[in-house]
Amino acid sequence: MSSVGLSEERIDTAVGKVQVWRAGTGPPVVYLHSAMGEGPGLAFLEELAGTNDVVAPVFPGFGESEGIGEIDDMEDAVFHVLDLLDQLGLDAVPFVGLSLGGWMAAEVATRYPERVRRLVLVNPAGLYLPDAPVTDIFGKPPAELAAIMFVDQSHPVAQMMHALAERYDDPASMSEIPLELLLPMVKSMSATAKLAWDPYLHNPKLARRLRRISSPTLIVHGSGDELIARAHAEAYAAAIPEARIVDVEGAGHMLTLEKPAELARLVREFLA
Amino acid sequence: MRIFSFHLMPYPALPSDYDGPAWVTCPNSLFDAQVGHEVYNRYLDELIYAEELGLDGVCINEHHQNAYGLMPSPNLMASILARQTKRVKIAVVGNALPLYDPPTRVAEEFAMIDCISGGRLIAGFVVGGGPEYYSFSINPAHARERFAEAHDLIMRAWTEPGPFEFIGKHFRIRYVNTWPRPMQQPHPEVWIPGVGSLETMEFVARHHYAYMGIPYFHISVFERTFKLFREACEREGYEADPMQAGWLVPIFVADTDEEARRQYEDHFFYFVKRLLPGINIQPPGYTSVRSLESIMKGAGTFALNLDSWDQVVEGQYAIVGSPDTVTELLTENLGRLGTGNLLGLFQLGTLPLDLTRRNLELFAREVMPRLRKEFPEGNMAAKPALGVA
């Protein structure tokens, strides 16, 4: 299966102009990114574009997308996603979402099940389980974050976080971190805070709404995910009428980065 | 000029084998209530002593869940000081507005303190430190919005006849009708501290309030900060009054320079190495992208990075020495920074009672009169040259 490079589009929405990464032809599939704002150059999307029209919007506040000032919480986020679907002429479409993006996709699917044809939740946030709380991502130095998010610490993104961490460890050199290196991270975390600071990475009302999701749902859990425990995948699977779990060995939280080919295959099979 | 004694009310007894942060996660099992009992009373005495020695005011502040400063409620301390002092200004610098819901609580308590003290309150409003957003789970991405909205509500509560309705994004009160109202009319003097965020400076300039530069940075950072503040005032169409600026700095006076260093250094480094760690945590969304660059420029000189006494002296992180040395350094800096308010930290870290009292005495007797002569009330002799630093 060949992979296709992503190209950028800018779409006008009610909150402002947002970036959308796009590639491939075939049935459309929407990818909602995590708190890290991954998208450009993501091998998983390029793989998937071999068979599908991949639509990967950059959420307001991330990358160069405008409009985070108009968005205060997940409720606003859902309306933004709906707005985007309308702008892109997508009526009912499959969603793939990682972590924060998985949570967002589930929120859309509980409210507007008719707009979600299939649902793939990859290490989704969104629930609170007293016995398996989600690890705190806010205020952690980059090296610790990398250790939590990746099984493979030699992954280029993990490596970049470790390189940044060396500066963090020496406060005197913090001011020497190039702003263009820091800025994307700062923007991503700020936008994430808007949606997920309190309640922390969940919506207390989501669990009892999951029964409204009518699409077949695949929940993908990275067996090495140290941010969100498997119990969350199990809770999603138990509450969504037509759902099953697939475990991916050797992958951590950032599963779309660590196992792009395997995930693309799983998604393709599920959508077929 | 006006001279204030600022007290952080630090916890001086962190065990020597604890090397974690002093903020947010510093285990409260380390707090010894007997120590708390002693230092609260001692620190209040030290502030009251500043009045006896002729200083113009006392300052206290608000921090939560930390060993750096034991004042989650500065208003409790201010109400004690309102009764136990007779003359000095009482500057609460400040109340962290986004943490009060509804913020009319601040309007009420400040008005109480102003009435009890006979109109001596200086009302400080702060956004709250980064750690506070972890300790309260208040969304840091809403910090500035909540601050601005709470500020508007409080000022309206003080200056507009009630009852009226306030419907904001974060705070909604159908009947705003604050009893009591402040004694000072139209409202107490307002101070706002900052670490260099442009939004804060612009806010202070727009409202003609006073900007207090937070310490623990190299002196060059202050020069830049106050220059930016004066520029913000110019953009509002007026020239900043020196009384609109305050410089907060640790001060220690002893008989000679050598003795001052010998008596002070360890206590200062307890503060730097034990109480500062964790204060600099920056929650996401707390700082705007445009302010980030400005703040980052100063970050490298943050006191947490200090390792040697030479660095302390070079960057003037504390003004330490004989009365002559301290007078000389303060005079030079006050002139250069253009600040009409000097906020001295006369107790810091583990500095004990006897040294703190002696410090205050020497300062009041030997240094203060010379500063007052150099900078007569309402007339800052040395206006800063434009374009300094």
Side-chain angles (χ1 to χ4, degrees):
Chain A
M1 203 72 65
S2 64
S3 77
V4 183
L6 296 154
S7 61
E8 187 197 336
E9 293 176 11
R10 303 258 170 160
I11 306 290
D12 278 315
T13 72
V15 299
K17 233 180 225 326
V18 299
Q19 293 172 285
V20 176
W21 293 98
R22 207 151 180 181
T25 49
V29 55
V30 171
Y31 177 76
L32 300 182
H33 61 71
S34 74
M36 208 172 250
E38 75 284 355
L42 196 62
F44 161 69
L45 297 178
E46 293 175 350
E47 288 268 341
L48 201 57
T51 48
N52 291 77
D53 171 11
V54 171
V55 181
V58 178
F59 194 79
F62 291 82
E64 289 168 29
S65 287
E66 304 168 348
I68 189 63
E70 305 296 313
I71 289 173
D72 281 321
D73 51 25
M74 192 49 89
E75 180 81 8
D76 292 338
V78 168
F79 282 96
H80 171 68
V81 172
L82 274 186
D83 192 23
L84 256 177
L85 293 183
D86 293 345
Q87 295 294 324
L88 292 164
L90 300 168
D91 181 24
V93 68
F95 277 82
V96 179
L98 170 65
S99 191
L100 176 76
W103 171 21
M104 202 179 292
E107 293 275 2
V108 173
T110 56
R111 290 171 169 83
Y112 304 95
E114 70 280 6
R115 305 299 292 267
V116 181
R117 193 184 289 276
R118 296 275 164 137
L119 191 56
V120 180
L121 307 178
V122 186
N123 295 329
L127 301 178
Y128 175 70
L129 303 177
D131 294 330
V134 175
T135 308
D136 199 353
I137 57 168
F138 295 122
K140 284 232 171 13
E144 261 182 72
L145 269 183
I148 292 165
M149 306 275 222
F150 290 88
V151 163
D152 176 13
Q153 293 299 304
S154 68
H155 187 280
V157 176
Q159 282 293 305
M160 194 197 74
M161 290 165 83
H162 283 290
L164 205 56
E166 282 172 27
R167 308 264 199 159
Y168 264 68
D169 289 343
D170 172 17
S173 74
M174 256 198 70
S175 56
E176 290 156 25
I177 301 175
L179 207 61
E180 59 272 20
L181 198 67
L182 206 60
L183 219 48
M185 224 170 78
V186 168
K187 288 182 72 179
S188 299
M189 289 309 257
S190 298
T192 302
K194 270 225 156 159
L195 306 178
W197 180 271
D198 176 48
Y200 175 60
L201 276 173
H202 76 282
N203 172 4
K205 293 180 187 291
L206 178 62
R208 59 180 182 267
R209 293 173 177 172
L210 289 175
R211 62 181 178 81
R212 293 198 35 90
I213 296 179
S214 56
S215 63
T217 301
L218 180 71
I219 297 151
V220 184
H221 174 70
S223 58
D225 186 356
E226 293 192 15
L227 185 69
I228 300 180
R230 192 176 194 276
H232 289 252
E234 290 161 10
Y236 267 106
I240 297 172
E242 202 182 328
R244 65 186 169 88
I245 302 176
V246 175
D247 294 281
V248 174
E249 298 298 322
H253 188 69
M254 298 307 291
L255 197 147
T256 56
L257 274 70
E258 285 191 300
K259 294 285 174 192
E262 189 170 347
L263 184 63
R265 181 182 55 78
L266 283 170
V267 170
R268 206 175 284 126
E269 285 170 10
F270 179 67
L271 297 185
Chain B
M1 75 169 315
R2 294 183 297 182
I3 299 170
F4 292 78
S5 173
F6 198 125
H7 217 308
L8 297 172
M9 304 208 174
Y11 187 70
L14 281 179
S16 56
D17 59 353
Y18 176 74
D19 63 356
W23 295 78
V24 186
T25 56
C26 181
N28 65 0
S29 55
L30 298 178
F31 178 77
D32 179 337
Q34 184 59 38
V35 172
H37 168 69
E38 285 159 20
V39 296
Y40 273 129
N41 287 285
R42 187 197 125 192
Y43 293 159
L44 282 165
D45 287 344
E46 288 168 359
L47 287 171
I48 294 160
Y49 194 43
E51 173 172 83
E52 287 175 38
L53 292 170
L55 276 73
D56 301 303
V58 293
C59 309
I60 46 182
N61 67 351
E62 172 176 340
H63 283 301
H64 298 266
Q65 304 200 149
N66 75 99
Y68 164 96
L70 300 175
M71 277 186 289
S73 173
N75 299 357
L76 287 181
M77 298 323 236
S79 63
I80 295 169
L81 292 164
R83 286 284 298 170
Q84 292 208 281
T85 63
K86 292 287 170 255
R87 178 185 58 79
V88 285
K89 286 277 185 187
I90 300 165
V92 183
V93 199
N95 278 183
L97 301 189
L99 310 183
Y100 291 80
D101 194 354
T104 39
R105 183 82 186 176
V106 174
E108 291 170 340
E109 291 186 1
F110 273 0
M112 286 174 71
I113 295 164
D114 202 44
C115 287
I116 295 167
S117 67
R120 290 186 285 131
L121 175 77
I122 292 175
F125 300 140
V126 296
V127 176
E132 260 85 54
Y133 287 83
Y134 292 88
S135 293
F136 272 68
S137 278
I138 299 243
N139 197 328
H142 293 150
R144 312 282 156 180
E145 271 181 17
R146 282 176 76 96
F147 177 80
E149 201 174 301
H151 161 269
D152 293 350
L153 172 53
I154 292 164
M155 296 313 282
R156 284 186 62 191
W158 280 348
T159 55
E160 269 181 43
F164 62 86
E165 188 179 61
F166 185 93
I167 303 297
K169 179 175 161 187
H170 297 282
F171 307 109
R172 287 167 296 275
I173 302 182
R174 301 283 310 286
Y175 301 94
V176 180
N177 192 23
T178 303
W179 282 72
R181 295 174 60 223
M183 190 165 172
Q184 297 176 81
Q185 287 297 317
H187 58 76
E189 184 179 343
V190 175
W191 282 9
I192 299 196
V195 288
S197 143
L198 299 170
E199 280 87 351
T200 305
M201 289 179 199
E202 285 163 1
F203 183 89
V204 177
R206 189 161 66 247
H207 291 280
H208 294 249
Y209 296 156
Y211 184 83
M212 299 297 131
I214 303 267
Y216 324 144
F217 293 97
H218 193 280
I219 192 73
S220 61
V221 174
F222 285 104
E223 288 177 32
R224 204 176 131 264
T225 298
F226 289 117
K227 176 173 174 282
L228 287 171
F229 174 62
R230 282 192 296 273
E231 287 170 359
C233 292
E234 275 166 32
R235 285 199 298 279
E236 291 293 329
Y238 69 96
E239 191 185 348
D241 188 298
M243 285 302 168
Q244 270 182 276
W247 173 39
L248 173 53
V249 65
I251 297 171
F252 186 73
V253 195
D255 289 327
T256 65
D257 289 351
E258 296 71 32
E259 190 180 82
R261 177 184 170 175
R262 188 168 47 74
Q263 290 177 339
Y264 192 62
E265 186 172 355
D266 287 350
H267 303 298
F268 179 81
F269 273 105
Y270 173 89
F271 169 77
V272 165
K273 293 299 175 194
R274 314 296 306 285
L275 299 182
L276 281 184
I279 195 176
N280 53 334
I281 188 166
Q282 287 271 335
Y286 174 79
T287 303
S288 75
V289 168
R290 63 186 277 262
S291 282
L292 186 70
E293 200 170 3
S294 169
I295 290 171
M296 290 273 290
K297 275 185 193 154
T301 76
F302 187 57
L304 200 48
N305 310 329
L306 292 172
D307 286 317
S308 75
W309 187 250
D310 287 347
Q311 290 173 307
V312 177
V313 173
E314 190 277 323
Q316 307 202 31
Y317 290 86
I319 304 295
V320 180
S322 69
D324 284 347
T325 301
V326 169
T327 304
E328 189 185 317
L329 291 171
L330 288 176
T331 304
E332 184 200 312
N333 283 315
L334 286 165
R336 204 158 35 123
L337 298 175
T339 48
N341 300 287
L342 174 64
L343 284 46
L345 285 161
F346 295 96
Q347 193 281 337
L348 200 69
T350 44
L351 194 72
L353 176 64
D354 57 336
L355 290 179
T356 303
R357 283 179 67 94
R358 173 120 175 95
N359 179 24
L360 277 163
E361 287 159 7
L362 280 172
F363 176 84
R365 199 173 66 220
E366 309 279 342
V367 180
M368 193 162 68
R370 287 191 269 175
L371 293 179
R372 290 205 192 283
K373 201 171 154 213
E374 189 71 31
F375 304 105
E377 188 106 34
N379 175 23
M380 285 288 287
K383 278 270 165 78
L386 284 175
V388 84

